[in-house]
Amino acid sequence: MKPISLLMQEHRIIEKVIALFKKELQYIEKTNKIHPAFIEISVDFMQTYTDKCHHGKEEGIFFKALQKKKIADVHKGVVVQLIKEHKFARLKVKQLVEANERYFNKDRQAIRDIIDILNALVKFYPMHIDKEDKQFFFPFINYFTEEEQNNMLNEFLNYDRLLIHEKYFDIVNKMNKLLQKSFV
């Protein structure tokens, strides 16, 4: 397996969630209501799987390894563009968290904001994934030897293995802070 195969498999999972966003948008348009739990789960998925796991491997391992290579100028621009796109996605997810919180606190404008954010993500991710799958992964993986690709794949797998522990360590810390605030 090549490291880009793993990243492309992750894209297929992200696409499934984006399809669910479309269903939630249909529900909202029909009922003018939000499923706050769906939004919370979506945010967790986007922050943990899409950003930390998937973008984390791209930026922290793949892009970092590319920095050590002499790559064509045209390819340098693609990496910069992808990093900007990842930042855009992070911003939209942050806005989704805030809008869902406002909805939970009975701010009716939050519905419109959630619709706009979900629509932005639904529009953004297919384009972003297509760019990575068709314009980025295949030309860029050729900068690496087979041994370097195998090492990168092992780094990806190790990264994934540690991620679950990091996630739940953070959850325990959040739970602890919540209880500490309760006793103040």
Side-chain angles (χ1 to χ4, degrees):
M1 176 189 275
K2 293 194 175 292
I4 60 172
S5 299
L6 183 60
L7 295 172
M8 291 173 81
Q9 286 173 5
E10 291 171 359
H11 279 169
R12 304 299 73 86
I13 295 169
I14 294 165
E15 288 170 335
K16 289 178 182 183
V17 171
I18 296 304
L20 294 173
F21 284 5
K22 290 178 184 178
K23 287 183 179 181
E24 177 68 2
L25 282 164
Q26 291 170 347
Y27 171 80
I28 297 168
E29 294 291 343
K30 193 159 82 172
T31 65
N32 203 36
K33 294 179 183 174
I34 306 285
H35 289 113
F38 176 86
I39 301 298
E40 284 183 38
I41 294 166
S42 298
V43 164
D44 181 61
F45 177 86
M46 296 303 288
Q47 289 175 332
T48 304
Y49 188 81
T50 302
D51 194 40
K52 252 188 168 171
C53 177
H54 179 72
H55 294 162
K57 284 194 285 282
E58 288 177 340
E59 293 176 9
I61 299 170
F62 196 2
F63 295 179
K64 201 175 269 189
L66 275 172
Q67 289 175 345
K68 298 173 185 171
K69 299 286 183 180
K70 183 167 175 52
I71 65 173
D73 288 340
V74 68
H75 288 159
K76 290 177 186 175
V78 174
V79 174
V80 169
Q81 190 177 24
L82 291 174
I83 291 170
K84 285 181 183 175
E85 290 177 10
H86 291 173
K87 288 179 182 177
F88 169 82
R90 285 181 193 108
L91 174 64
K92 288 297 162 195
V93 172
K94 180 178 182 265
Q95 291 170 344
L96 187 57
V97 169
E98 293 164 357
N100 195 45
E101 216 172 272
R102 290 189 353 257
Y103 178 79
F104 185 76
N105 290 318
K106 309 291 188 241
D107 177 352
R108 300 323 297 170
Q109 173 59 35
I111 292 174
R112 185 76 249 154
D113 294 341
I114 289 171
I115 290 170
D116 291 345
I117 295 162
L118 288 177
N119 273 319
L121 291 169
V122 163
K123 182 180 176 187
F124 166 76
Y125 266 102
M127 175 271 317
H128 177 74
I129 287 171
D130 190 63
K131 182 185 297 178
E132 288 185 342
D133 283 357
K134 294 180 180 165
Q135 298 171 25
F136 176 70
F137 290 147
F138 288 103
F140 282 79
I141 199 65
N142 291 323
Y143 284 107
F144 300 99
T145 65
E146 190 169 327
E147 182 181 347
E148 289 170 323
Q149 289 180 41
N150 287 334
N151 290 339
M152 186 181 298
L153 179 60
N154 286 329
E155 277 188 76
F156 283 1
L157 296 172
N158 191 49
Y159 182 87
D160 284 349
R161 187 179 60 77
L162 297 174
L163 189 63
I164 189 82
H165 297 284
E166 182 181 323
K167 176 177 174 55
Y168 287 99
F169 181 78
D170 288 345
I171 287 174
V172 169
N173 283 336
K174 287 177 186 174
M175 292 166 66
N176 188 39
K177 286 178 186 177
L178 180 68
L179 288 176
Q180 285 177 347
K181 286 180 184 178
S182 298
F183 293 107
V184 175

